[in-house]
Amino acid sequence: MPPRNRRPWPSRAPAQARPPALPPRARPAGALRLRAPRAAALPFAVLPLVALPLASGCQGTPSTAAAATVFPHDAPTLLAAGAGHLEGTSSFRLALRVDMPADGGRAAHRMAMSGVWDARRPAGRMDGTLKGAPATVLVIGDTEYVSLPATVRKSTGRSWLRAAPGTRTFAGFSDARLLAMVLRAGQGPQVSRGPGATWHVRGAIDRAAVTRANPGPALRAFAGLLPSKTRFDLFTDDRGRPVRIRLTPSGDAKKAQGTVELSDFGVRPDVREPLAGQILTSPPGKAPKR
């Protein structure tokens, strides 16, 4: 039987002996010894934090523009910020405790009322004491409605008296825009840190300075109700937004005296105009118009 053709096995070269490793101390002089970073020893969450300073290290020192802007809390800045926010407010709570002097045909009276106002309509509802009797006053635009006494409600079947055109029971104290203009004219403001995160700015409002700065007729008429000097207290948060504003006109028996406070900025008022069948359009004692 003829022998099978077999492929010769490839010849294997004898393995060359590896040169012996140099001992650690026998490395050539000046050779660098590099070690791989021991990344495995770091948690995975830490790796991005480690890479961040490495990537930004070549950018130089951080720019100061990236630092957060700090709101200055000096008195003039807080006063300007408070007036600006007041002028742009949409709603607030108003409290009036004022002695109103006689004016023309109007007798002197005391007012102690509070309520909420929608500054954009404008519209408001005030409850309390008016001319010595409990009362509610609704203001819708340029029209005012005053609640009727129980005896008149019973005899007429109506709940509200529509006031004469042009009646402004609360003068300009409910006008946030006018109050902001008056507040901007505040003189000698001083600031102190209040409880919590509030700032207290106090000063005085000079009636003559208000009218010089803003000679408009509406502001002039409002300033005419104030004495020559009116104290103000403005409480703001850390960003200059008003928390509470108090005006204290006093010192002149011929002008309004008492306190006016605004608070709860951003409250949601619900001021609804009375229905036609609830309104008395003539003074009590005369036949109502139907």
Side-chain angles (χ1 to χ4, degrees), residues 18 32 42 46 55 57 62 66 72 112-113 133 155 168 194 199 204 214 220 225-226 249 266 270 277:
R18 294 182 180 179
L32 296 178
L42 297 175
V46 181
M113 307 192 79
S155 62
R168 300 195 67 187
W199 296 85
N214 303 279
R220 184 177 293 274
L225 299 174
L226 302 175
D270 184 13

mmCIF file of all heavy atoms in Angstrom, residues 18 32 42 46 55 57 62 66 72 112-113 133 155 168 194 199 204 214 220 225-226 249 266 270 277:
data_model
loop_
_atom_site.group_PDB
_atom_site.id
_atom_site.type_symbol
_atom_site.label_atom_id
_atom_site.label_comp_id
_atom_site.label_asym_id
_atom_site.label_seq_id
_atom_site.Cartn_x
_atom_site.Cartn_y
_atom_site.Cartn_z
ATOM 1 N N ARG A 18 13.856 35.261 26.563
ATOM 2 C CA ARG A 18 13.595 36.674 26.832
ATOM 3 C C ARG A 18 14.749 37.256 27.625
ATOM 4 O O ARG A 18 15.252 36.622 28.540
ATOM 5 C CB ARG A 18 12.302 36.847 27.624
ATOM 6 C CG ARG A 18 11.087 36.427 26.827
ATOM 7 C CD ARG A 18 9.856 36.680 27.652
ATOM 8 N NE ARG A 18 8.664 36.300 26.922
ATOM 9 C CZ ARG A 18 7.432 36.396 27.411
ATOM 10 N NH1 ARG A 18 7.269 36.856 28.638
ATOM 11 N NH2 ARG A 18 6.408 36.044 26.680
ATOM 12 N N LEU A 32 11.689 58.236 32.449
ATOM 13 C CA LEU A 32 10.475 58.603 33.168
ATOM 14 C C LEU A 32 9.721 57.355 33.556
ATOM 15 O O LEU A 32 9.601 56.413 32.769
ATOM 16 C CB LEU A 32 9.584 59.501 32.306
ATOM 17 C CG LEU A 32 10.184 60.862 31.942
ATOM 18 C CD1 LEU A 32 9.216 61.610 31.041
ATOM 19 C CD2 LEU A 32 10.471 61.659 33.194
ATOM 20 N N LEU A 42 -11.950 55.172 41.951
ATOM 21 C CA LEU A 42 -12.891 56.268 42.154
ATOM 22 C C LEU A 42 -14.295 55.816 41.800
ATOM 23 O O LEU A 42 -14.488 55.065 40.853
ATOM 24 C CB LEU A 42 -12.512 57.464 41.278
ATOM 25 C CG LEU A 42 -11.166 58.102 41.575
ATOM 26 C CD1 LEU A 42 -10.873 59.182 40.552
ATOM 27 C CD2 LEU A 42 -11.144 58.688 42.970
ATOM 28 N N VAL A 46 -17.987 60.185 40.584
ATOM 29 C CA VAL A 46 -16.976 61.202 40.853
ATOM 30 C C VAL A 46 -16.153 61.511 39.625
ATOM 31 O O VAL A 46 -15.568 62.580 39.512
ATOM 32 C CB VAL A 46 -16.065 60.725 42.001
ATOM 33 C CG1 VAL A 46 -15.001 61.764 42.324
ATOM 34 C CG2 VAL A 46 -16.891 60.421 43.235
ATOM 35 N N ALA A 55 -10.592 69.717 32.500
ATOM 36 C CA ALA A 55 -10.917 70.302 31.202
ATOM 37 C C ALA A 55 -10.913 71.814 31.241
ATOM 38 O O ALA A 55 -10.604 72.480 30.263
ATOM 39 C CB ALA A 55 -12.282 69.794 30.736
ATOM 40 N N GLY A 57 -9.177 73.621 33.444
ATOM 41 C CA GLY A 57 -7.979 74.171 34.070
ATOM 42 C C GLY A 57 -7.174 75.018 33.128
ATOM 43 O O GLY A 57 -6.469 75.932 33.539
ATOM 44 N N PRO A 62 -11.677 81.590 36.761
ATOM 45 C CA PRO A 62 -13.068 81.813 36.358
ATOM 46 C C PRO A 62 -13.366 83.298 36.257
ATOM 47 O O PRO A 62 -12.869 84.120 37.011
ATOM 48 C CB PRO A 62 -13.867 81.147 37.494
ATOM 49 C CG PRO A 62 -12.908 80.215 38.157
ATOM 50 C CD PRO A 62 -11.554 80.832 38.000
ATOM 51 N N ALA A 66 -19.511 85.340 35.748
ATOM 52 C CA ALA A 66 -20.314 84.154 35.996
ATOM 53 C C ALA A 66 -20.869 84.128 37.402
ATOM 54 O O ALA A 66 -21.763 83.358 37.708
ATOM 55 C CB ALA A 66 -19.476 82.901 35.750
ATOM 56 N N PRO A 72 -28.351 94.791 45.741
ATOM 57 C CA PRO A 72 -27.927 95.689 46.823
ATOM 58 C C PRO A 72 -29.103 96.047 47.717
ATOM 59 O O PRO A 72 -30.217 96.260 47.243
ATOM 60 C CB PRO A 72 -27.398 96.919 46.076
ATOM 61 C CG PRO A 72 -28.069 96.884 44.744
ATOM 62 C CD PRO A 72 -28.305 95.441 44.418
ATOM 63 N N ALA A 112 -62.791 103.317 58.782
ATOM 64 C CA ALA A 112 -61.987 102.170 59.204
ATOM 65 C C ALA A 112 -62.456 100.977 58.377
ATOM 66 O O ALA A 112 -63.396 100.275 58.756
ATOM 67 C CB ALA A 112 -62.149 101.904 60.694
ATOM 68 N N MET A 113 -61.813 100.769 57.237
ATOM 69 C CA MET A 113 -62.262 99.746 56.296
ATOM 70 C C MET A 113 -61.058 99.002 55.723
ATOM 71 O O MET A 113 -59.946 99.534 55.666
ATOM 72 C CB MET A 113 -63.073 100.366 55.149
ATOM 73 C CG MET A 113 -64.223 101.237 55.582
ATOM 74 S SD MET A 113 -65.341 101.662 54.234
ATOM 75 C CE MET A 113 -66.294 100.152 54.114
ATOM 76 N N ALA A 133 -71.091 103.967 60.789
ATOM 77 C CA ALA A 133 -72.005 102.836 60.632
ATOM 78 C C ALA A 133 -71.330 101.732 59.843
ATOM 79 O O ALA A 133 -70.487 101.995 58.983
ATOM 80 C CB ALA A 133 -73.279 103.295 59.917
ATOM 81 N N SER A 155 -87.402 97.897 53.211
ATOM 82 C CA SER A 155 -88.482 98.702 52.621
ATOM 83 C C SER A 155 -88.397 98.796 51.097
ATOM 84 O O SER A 155 -89.419 98.970 50.433
ATOM 85 C CB SER A 155 -88.477 100.112 53.224
ATOM 86 O OG SER A 155 -87.252 100.775 52.918
ATOM 87 N N ARG A 168 -65.579 109.352 45.078
ATOM 88 C CA ARG A 168 -64.356 108.574 45.324
ATOM 89 C C ARG A 168 -64.150 108.487 46.834
ATOM 90 O O ARG A 168 -63.456 109.311 47.437
ATOM 91 C CB ARG A 168 -63.156 109.200 44.640
ATOM 92 C CG ARG A 168 -63.281 109.305 43.126
ATOM 93 C CD ARG A 168 -61.934 109.579 42.486
ATOM 94 N NE ARG A 168 -61.034 108.433 42.636
ATOM 95 C CZ ARG A 168 -59.743 108.459 42.284
ATOM 96 N NH1 ARG A 168 -59.203 109.582 41.815
ATOM 97 N NH2 ARG A 168 -59.000 107.387 42.427
ATOM 98 N N GLY A 194 -35.248 93.591 58.918
ATOM 99 C CA GLY A 194 -36.433 93.238 59.681
ATOM 100 C C GLY A 194 -36.422 91.769 60.064
ATOM 101 O O GLY A 194 -35.490 91.033 59.758
ATOM 102 N N TRP A 199 -36.763 93.575 54.716
ATOM 103 C CA TRP A 199 -36.013 94.811 54.919
ATOM 104 C C TRP A 199 -37.005 95.925 55.185
ATOM 105 O O TRP A 199 -38.071 95.981 54.584
ATOM 106 C CB TRP A 199 -35.169 95.124 53.681
ATOM 107 C CG TRP A 199 -34.113 94.101 53.408
ATOM 108 C CD1 TRP A 199 -34.262 92.941 52.716
ATOM 109 C CD2 TRP A 199 -32.756 94.136 53.851
ATOM 110 N NE1 TRP A 199 -33.083 92.246 52.688
ATOM 111 C CE2 TRP A 199 -32.135 92.956 53.368
ATOM 112 C CE3 TRP A 199 -31.996 95.039 54.584
ATOM 113 C CZ2 TRP A 199 -30.798 92.664 53.614
ATOM 114 C CZ3 TRP A 199 -30.659 94.741 54.823
ATOM 115 C CH2 TRP A 199 -30.081 93.569 54.338
ATOM 116 N N ALA A 204 -39.722 109.969 54.963
ATOM 117 C CA ALA A 204 -40.811 110.939 54.963
ATOM 118 C C ALA A 204 -41.134 111.352 53.532
ATOM 119 O O ALA A 204 -40.279 111.348 52.651
ATOM 120 C CB ALA A 204 -40.440 112.164 55.795
ATOM 121 N N ASN A 214 -44.051 115.584 40.075
ATOM 122 C CA ASN A 214 -45.118 115.057 39.217
ATOM 123 C C ASN A 214 -46.298 116.028 39.254
ATOM 124 O O ASN A 214 -47.205 115.883 40.072
ATOM 125 C CB ASN A 214 -45.572 113.679 39.697
ATOM 126 C CG ASN A 214 -44.425 112.691 39.745
ATOM 127 O OD1 ASN A 214 -44.048 112.115 38.740
ATOM 128 N ND2 ASN A 214 -43.861 112.495 40.941
ATOM 129 N N ARG A 220 -51.733 115.748 41.960
ATOM 130 C CA ARG A 220 -51.867 116.987 42.722
ATOM 131 C C ARG A 220 -53.103 116.935 43.618
ATOM 132 O O ARG A 220 -53.069 117.361 44.779
ATOM 133 C CB ARG A 220 -51.937 118.177 41.773
ATOM 134 C CG ARG A 220 -51.974 119.535 42.472
ATOM 135 C CD ARG A 220 -51.972 120.661 41.438
ATOM 136 N NE ARG A 220 -50.705 120.699 40.725
ATOM 137 C CZ ARG A 220 -49.633 121.343 41.164
ATOM 138 N NH1 ARG A 220 -49.681 121.995 42.321
ATOM 139 N NH2 ARG A 220 -48.524 121.347 40.463
ATOM 140 N N LEU A 225 -54.689 115.937 49.744
ATOM 141 C CA LEU A 225 -55.306 115.338 50.929
ATOM 142 C C LEU A 225 -54.309 115.092 52.049
ATOM 143 O O LEU A 225 -54.704 114.883 53.195
ATOM 144 C CB LEU A 225 -55.961 113.997 50.550
ATOM 145 C CG LEU A 225 -57.082 114.038 49.520
ATOM 146 C CD1 LEU A 225 -57.495 112.624 49.155
ATOM 147 C CD2 LEU A 225 -58.270 114.830 50.056
ATOM 148 N N LEU A 226 -53.010 115.089 51.714
ATOM 149 C CA LEU A 226 -51.976 114.750 52.687
ATOM 150 C C LEU A 226 -51.485 115.992 53.409
ATOM 151 O O LEU A 226 -51.508 117.093 52.853
ATOM 152 C CB LEU A 226 -50.801 114.071 51.979
ATOM 153 C CG LEU A 226 -51.112 112.794 51.200
ATOM 154 C CD1 LEU A 226 -49.867 112.313 50.461
ATOM 155 C CD2 LEU A 226 -51.652 111.719 52.121
ATOM 156 N N PRO A 249 -50.129 109.659 57.521
ATOM 157 C CA PRO A 249 -50.305 111.115 57.472
ATOM 158 C C PRO A 249 -50.788 111.625 58.829
ATOM 159 O O PRO A 249 -51.734 111.091 59.421
ATOM 160 C CB PRO A 249 -51.377 111.294 56.388
ATOM 161 C CG PRO A 249 -52.119 110.003 56.351
ATOM 162 C CD PRO A 249 -51.168 108.926 56.809
ATOM 163 N N GLY A 266 -50.667 90.368 45.233
ATOM 164 C CA GLY A 266 -50.918 89.178 44.434
ATOM 165 C C GLY A 266 -52.120 88.375 44.893
ATOM 166 O O GLY A 266 -52.430 87.344 44.298
ATOM 167 N N ASP A 270 -62.150 88.852 44.268
ATOM 168 C CA ASP A 270 -63.351 88.455 43.528
ATOM 169 C C ASP A 270 -64.401 89.542 43.755
ATOM 170 O O ASP A 270 -65.227 89.457 44.659
ATOM 171 C CB ASP A 270 -63.841 87.094 44.017
ATOM 172 C CG ASP A 270 -65.035 86.590 43.208
ATOM 173 O OD1 ASP A 270 -65.304 87.170 42.131
ATOM 174 O OD2 ASP A 270 -65.709 85.634 43.650
ATOM 175 N N GLY A 277 -81.319 94.445 39.635
ATOM 176 C CA GLY A 277 -82.430 94.406 40.580
ATOM 177 C C GLY A 277 -82.031 94.628 42.017
ATOM 178 O O GLY A 277 -82.896 94.753 42.887
#
